[in-house]
Amino acid sequence: MQGFVYDQPATRVIFGVGTLDRLAEEVQRLGAKRALVLATPEQRKDAEDASRRLGEMSAGVYAEAVMHVPIETARKAREEAQRLGADCYVAVGGGSTVGLGKAIALESGLPILAVPTTYAGSEMTPIYGITEAGVKKTGKDRKVLPKTVIYDVNLTLTLPAKIAGPSGMNAMAHLVEGLYAQDANPIISLLAVEGIRTLAVSLPVVVKEPQNLVARSGALYGAWLGGTVLGAVGMALHHKLCHTLGGSFNLPHAEVHTVILPYAVAFNQEAAAQELNRAAEALGAKSAAQGIYDLSMKIGAPVALKDIGMPLEGLDRAAQIATQNPYYNPRPVDYAGVRRLLEDAYYGKRPA
Ligand code: NAD
């Protein structure tokens, strides 16, 4: 066995059906007295419910989170948190809301309690992103890693199939790239395989039977594992490409992960054969790339860049941006190879 480093920061996780009932006691456990509850405008009701549960420990609701954390939104939220004398942030929502919590915590150092309602996984990572003048800059700081995460399966029951499917594939991307990470380690790889298997079984049921608690629990469990893997080891070409496409072409985050993943995996198949064979086995497929593609089809998620807003004439520029700076990938990244990958993804051809 090869040597490795395992350096996993700890987050307290409460998982189950109805776990939001423990919100007040968990805020108290953090030693906080005035929690500001964050959400998107669409999830204001969820935030108000959380605020009610906190009673006197609620400093108020700030339901202005939007995708990719624009700096203006972060500044306003920081001002509001200060004005209300908040000593903790409760983020109820997906990656956008957790991201806003991180942007405030980065400055104040105050704790975040996350209540994730999608499968994006941000709640388990020290990674933050803030968008300024159209450019999203990401960084890592343990200050922004939520101290506590409450996974309440009930809160995911309202996640519509068209968000749930791609969001689940976003988690799948963290799990698969974690297997061939530069700093992969055996424990994280075990979590990755478990997550892939769980998502492959749960997601098709989630989109067909949105109220199925067993499938919803499986999907959320897979999402937790996905976030853990993303927070623990480095990612590679797939995440780099998605960052480029999301940032420079304004494509929707979870959908772009869904479309790119089979092609990034096919690109890396030979160079990371052993790791990707474990993924294939967990997917119950002949190859990881095909298994992922077929799962996307089965759950009705998009499989082609052309269907999620990518312009054909943007492929050259995307390949250029994604190959201009060196980064780790199992197979060396070259312009021609990435350009081909993007073209296949543009048309959504089943990977060979
Ligand atoms: P999102 O948070 O933008 O949510 C998408 C939409 O779904 C929003 O309108 C939201 O209100 C709604 N929604 C969420 N949960 C719902 C529910 N249970 N029922 C009904 N509606 C619900 O989407 P996302 O994919 O979770 O997050 C994407 C963002 O997160 C991106 O900016 C991405 O870069 C970031 N992200 C960051 C990390 C990290 O580690 N820092 C990891 C993954 C994603």
Side-chain angles (χ1 to χ4, degrees), residues 40 42-43 67-68 94-96 102 117-118 120 122 125 127 136 155 158-159 163 230 253:
T40 59
E42 298 83 15
Q43 286 182 283
M67 186 85 91
H68 301 317
S96 298
K102 288 177 168 180
T117 63
T118 69
S122 177
T125 83
I127 306 161
K136 185 167 179 180
L155 294 184
T158 50
L159 196 61
I163 302 182
L230 176 67
H253 176 82

